[in-house]
Each structure stands twice: as C-alpha cells, then as structure tokens.
C-alpha cells in the first residue's frame, strides 16, 4: 500500500528547494548581465575584424546602458566608427554616487 505524502512534508520540501534555487537564479541572472556588458565593451572598444567588416556593410550596433565615460572614450578612440554606433539608456554617475539613466524617448 502506497502512502500519500502529507502536505506539511511537501511544503517543507518546496521551501527548502526555493531557498536553494532563488540564489542560484539570482547568480545566473547577474552572470548573464555581466557577460552582456563585457560583450558590449569588447565590441565597442576592441572590435574584431568580423565586427568591422559587418559595420562596413552597414551594421549598426545599439549599446544599451553603457556608462557615459565609456561612451566618451569610444567616441574619441573609435571616431571612424561613430556612424555605426547608437547609445540608449546611457548611465551617468552623479557626484553623490547615484546613477542617473538618460531618457532617450525610445520607449
């Protein structure tokens, strides 16, 4: 005869599972976001020959959420590529450490 698991035991298992999965999901989300930022910085400041070739053929790269200092560096160091760059939601670090995001009206 099979026993039916009681709800209290099942609830306890679900709670333990949630306590384990929640930090893992947060970590994965942060990792994916970090990888995306690194990809944007690499393409912006140190593009591969494939990226440069794609830009020569009309590719436009949209950079999302980049810090203003990096945008300025890119505009100065990658001047010949400016026509292939678009920046949205640029982040400005304020003197008090707060981050202000530029509203570009592209919602």
């Amino acid at each position: 005869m099979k026993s039916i698991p009681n709800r209290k035991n099942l609830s306890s298992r679900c709670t333990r599972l949630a306590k384990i999965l929640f930090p893992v999901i947060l970590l994965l989300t942060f990792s994916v976001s970090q990888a995306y930022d690194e990809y944007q910085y690499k393409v912006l400041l140190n593009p591969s020959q494939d990226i440069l070739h794609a830009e020569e053929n009309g590719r436009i790269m949209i950079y999302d959420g980049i810090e203003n200092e990096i945008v300025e560096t890119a505009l100065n160091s990658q001047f010949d590529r400016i026509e292939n760059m678009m920046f949205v939601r640029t982040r400005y670090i304020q003197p008090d450490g707060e981050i202000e995001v530029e509203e570009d009206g592209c919602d």
Side-chain angles (χ1 to χ4, degrees):
M1 175 184 236
K2 292 184 178 180
S3 64
I4 300 173
N6 66 36
R7 290 179 184 233
K8 184 177 180 182
N9 196 11
L10 184 60
S11 176
S12 175
R13 284 189 210 164
C14 288
T15 301
R16 283 194 309 254
L17 184 61
K19 287 180 180 179
I20 293 169
L21 286 180
F22 185 70
V24 170
I25 291 170
L26 283 177
L27 182 61
L28 287 173
T29 302
F30 178 75
S31 297
V32 168
S33 174
Q34 197 70 13
Y36 178 69
D37 286 347
E38 288 175 20
Y39 172 75
Q40 288 192 115
Y41 297 146
K42 179 181 176 186
V43 170
L44 181 60
L45 300 172
N46 190 19
S48 68
Q49 288 300 315
D50 291 334
I51 296 293
L52 294 174
H53 182 69
E55 288 178 354
E56 288 172 8
N57 291 320
R59 177 183 180 179
I60 306 286
M61 179 72 175
I62 300 172
Y63 299 94
D64 183 19
I66 303 258
E67 294 84 6
N68 183 56
E69 293 82 17
I70 294 177
V71 171
E72 293 297 326
T73 299
L75 293 176
N76 290 322
S77 68
Q78 306 289 324
F79 185 78
D80 55 329
R81 298 176 53 223
I82 289 176
E83 66 186 23
N84 300 93
M85 299 175 186
M86 180 177 178
F87 300 95
V88 296
R89 297 190 307 171
T90 302
R91 297 184 300 189
Y92 293 85
I93 300 175
Q94 303 302 307
D96 63 358
E98 292 289 318
I99 295 176
E100 185 177 308
V101 178
E102 180 179 67
E103 292 297 327
D104 50 29
C106 294
D107 296 333

